[in-house]
């Protein structure tokens, strides 16, 4: 079928079919990833002929607002509350905040993502 012969309604129908298919596949992928991650966290191992499953840990530093406010005061809390961790660290580097106290306040959040490591490296 020539692209010129395709109606807008047919394009929309194909688009909707692809979107629905992708959403279904993504939901299944997420469910499988959750089950595999849980098994890996319990010490199990999984691999295929091509891939080995592994967990990649990501860390994110956060500063609890209530504690930050107690340590550095309202003005500093207001200044960094609408900005990210980098802003607080820049203030510490500039000497506006005590860097040691900032480090003590830090809370590191970890997330784990399932990664497929190719076995043919």
């Amino acid at each position: 079928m020539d692209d010129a012969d395709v109606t807008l309604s047919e394009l929309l129908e194909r688009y909707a079919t692809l979107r629905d298919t992708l959403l279904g596949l993504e939901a299944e992928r997420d469910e499988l990833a959750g089950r595999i991650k849980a098994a890996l966290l319990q010490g199990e191992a999984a691999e295929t002929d091509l891939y080995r499953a592994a967990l990649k840990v990501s860390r994110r530093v956060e500063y609890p607002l209530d504690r930050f406010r107690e340590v550095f005061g309202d003005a500093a809390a207001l200044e960094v509350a609408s900005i990210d961790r980098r802003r607080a660290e820049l203030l510490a580097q500039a000497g506006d905040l005590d860097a040691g106290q900032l480090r003590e306040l830090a809370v590191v959040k970890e997330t784990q993502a399932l990664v497929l490591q190719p076995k043919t490296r």
Side-chain angles (χ1 to χ4, degrees), residues 4-82:
D5 296 336
V6 178
T7 67
L8 186 56
S9 293
E10 291 170 330
L11 291 174
L12 176 60
E13 184 172 337
R14 180 66 181 150
Y15 173 82
T17 300
L18 290 171
R19 187 207 58 185
D20 293 346
T21 300
L22 290 172
L23 290 174
L25 290 172
E26 288 171 350
E28 181 181 0
R29 179 201 61 200
D30 293 345
E31 190 268 330
L32 292 171
R35 291 173 57 189
I36 294 167
K37 281 195 265 185
L40 292 176
L41 286 169
Q42 292 178 348
E44 294 185 45
E47 63 181 62
T48 67
D49 290 341
L50 298 176
Y51 297 104
R52 179 177 299 108
L55 290 177
K56 177 183 175 188
V57 176
S58 299
R59 291 178 177 81
R60 186 178 75 221
V61 174
E62 294 180 352
Y63 303 104
L65 182 58
D66 55 341
R67 291 271 303 124
F68 188 95
R69 187 174 168 206
E70 287 174 18
V71 173
F72 297 113
D74 291 340
L78 182 59
E79 186 161 347
V80 299
S82 60

Side-chain angles (χ1 to χ4, degrees), residues 88-114:
E89 291 171 355
L90 287 172
L91 287 172
Q93 288 173 0
D96 294 334
L97 301 177
D98 182 282
Q101 287 180 318
L102 185 62
R103 275 191 300 280
E104 288 176 23
L105 261 176
V107 174
V108 177
K109 303 275 181 156
E110 288 188 355
T111 57
Q112 294 158 338
L114 177 64

